[in-house]
Amino acid sequence: MAWTKWQFVLALTMVVTGSINTLSTKWADNIESEGSDGQIRRFEHPFVQACAMFIGEFLCLLTFKGVYYHMRRKNNGAEDRHDLVRGNREFSPFVLFVPAMCDMLATSIMYVGLNLTYPSSFQLLRGSVIIFVGILSVAFLNRTLVKREWIGIGFIMLGLVVVGLSDVVSNDNTGSQYTRNNVITGDLLIILAQIITAVQMVYEEYYVAGLDIPALQAVGWEGFFGFSVLGSLLLPMYFIRVMSPFNNNAHGVLEDLPDALAQIRNNYQLIIAIGGTVVSIAFFNFAGISVTKEISATTRMVLDSVRTLVVWMVSLLLVWQKFHYLQLIGFAGLLFGMCLYNDILVLQTYRRVKVALLLRIGRQSADRMSEVIINRQADEPDR
């Protein structure tokens, strides 16, 4: 069935804003600005960037409230039927506190990893979440994975190995931060973050899915809790000294908020980049939820893979990294594994071809049988 104009706009919005989110975060990482100590250095403040992302998610809650009250006023106080706000509103927001903390840990670790590795590797390695979700679903949700899903996980693991190998063997001199040790550390941190994200998804499926909470509201509450807790933790982080490569700030601490604010004040490009992160994550969540409702969850997964390709191509164009054929092979393996796991295109095409061949064979057999019958009737003598 052909997409409507609205569905096409939603799909395009999801790909564009999702790509902007990763690229604007990495752009901020690469911007140099004068810090609180008067030294010019790259903006490496992953926890401040994570706070910006949670502000973007919190905007989803404000959007939800605005749409909800607008629909109630429009319907003279009657319950609305709009997809974005339809669902159960009689729940305790604190049921979302645990997934919010998982999101906070995963996002913070991913942004630390993004400081150390390439944006394309960051986006590709996020696909490993399917592996951990599948394994945890078997362990805690009593789910049984069929052969197709296990084979898909195998291809995803193969693709991840190839992506990691490309980062190890590539001799990329596009930036001094991309030393081999930094890149490997960044890749491992991103994979660790996907384990935490998988825990979040399994928790949400077990405890939250049955509550029928509107998705936009759930994302917004998780953004509120994530920003509140992480914003509070920025204070003790200022007093925790860390070693290289995690201490590239004025005081060599885990997170230096005064240094981050000084760098933002001294370079307007950082305001644009961080603003791009906030706005893009809000629109990305809105578009992603709408795509799931208007089209399907599998379409959302395919569009997320397109986003990975866009991030990789833009990173090459901006010379943030060099082309390596192994990444192309790894991307192909990841995409094939995701499609196989979610039963998209691969087996569907196989089944269509199989049915077409069976029908063709059936027609040929019927034609041959008819020809035999006709020949027999012609050979029989007239009685």
Side-chain angles (χ1 to χ4, degrees), residues 64-219:
F64 171 85
K65 294 293 185 182
V67 173
Y68 174 69
Y69 288 112
H70 170 73
M71 296 302 297
R72 282 185 63 88
R73 186 168 59 251
K74 182 179 178 181
N75 297 329
N76 296 322
E79 282 297 318
D80 55 81
R81 297 295 180 185
H82 197 282
D83 281 344
L84 289 179
V85 295
R86 184 186 301 155
N88 172 36
R89 283 178 287 275
E90 300 298 326
F91 69 95
S92 171
F94 288 97
V95 74
L96 297 167
F97 184 79
V98 172
M101 294 303 96
C102 290
D103 192 13
M104 181 192 73
L105 284 173
T107 301
S108 300
I109 293 172
M110 277 194 293
Y111 281 2
V112 173
L114 182 58
N115 272 322
L116 303 174
T117 191
Y118 312 109
S120 61
S121 297
F122 168 82
Q123 200 64 48
L124 285 166
L125 292 171
R126 291 180 69 176
S128 63
V129 69
I130 292 179
I131 299 173
F132 305 117
V133 168
I135 294 172
L136 291 176
S137 296
V138 171
F140 297 102
L141 300 179
N142 295 321
R143 182 183 172 190
T144 300
L145 298 182
V146 299
K147 185 189 298 184
R148 162 182 56 80
E149 292 172 318
W150 283 116
I151 296 175
I153 287 177
F155 272 100
I156 293 172
M157 292 179 66
L158 181 62
L160 292 173
V161 170
V162 174
V163 171
L165 184 62
S166 72
D167 288 344
V168 172
V169 302
S170 62
N171 185 20
D172 196 337
N173 296 316
T174 55
S176 59
Q177 76 273 19
Y178 295 134
T179 63
R180 181 168 296 178
N181 287 340
N182 282 6
V183 170
I184 293 174
T185 301
D187 289 351
L188 292 175
L189 286 173
I190 293 167
I191 293 175
L192 173 62
Q194 302 320 301
I195 299 175
I196 301 173
T197 301
V199 172
Q200 173 190 349
M201 290 182 175
V202 171
Y203 178 92
E204 288 177 340
E205 183 173 347
Y206 189 82
Y207 290 103
V208 180
L211 299 177
D212 190 30
I213 302 173
L216 207 60
Q217 189 178 22
V219 171

Side-chain angles (χ1 to χ4, degrees), residues 241-294:
R241 292 196 170 273
V242 293
M243 299 183 298
S244 179
F246 307 111
N247 61 353
N248 191 24
N249 50 58
H251 298 91
V253 294
L254 185 59
E255 185 56 278
D256 193 339
L257 180 60
D259 185 53
L261 295 177
Q263 286 190 290
I264 293 171
R265 183 176 63 250
N266 292 328
N267 193 329
Y268 73 93
Q269 291 183 346
L270 285 170
I271 299 176
I272 298 174
I274 294 173
T277 299
V278 172
V279 175
S280 63
I281 196 65
F283 275 94
F284 175 70
N285 279 293
F286 166 77
I289 292 167
S290 300
V291 164
T292 301
K293 288 180 175 292
E294 295 282 340

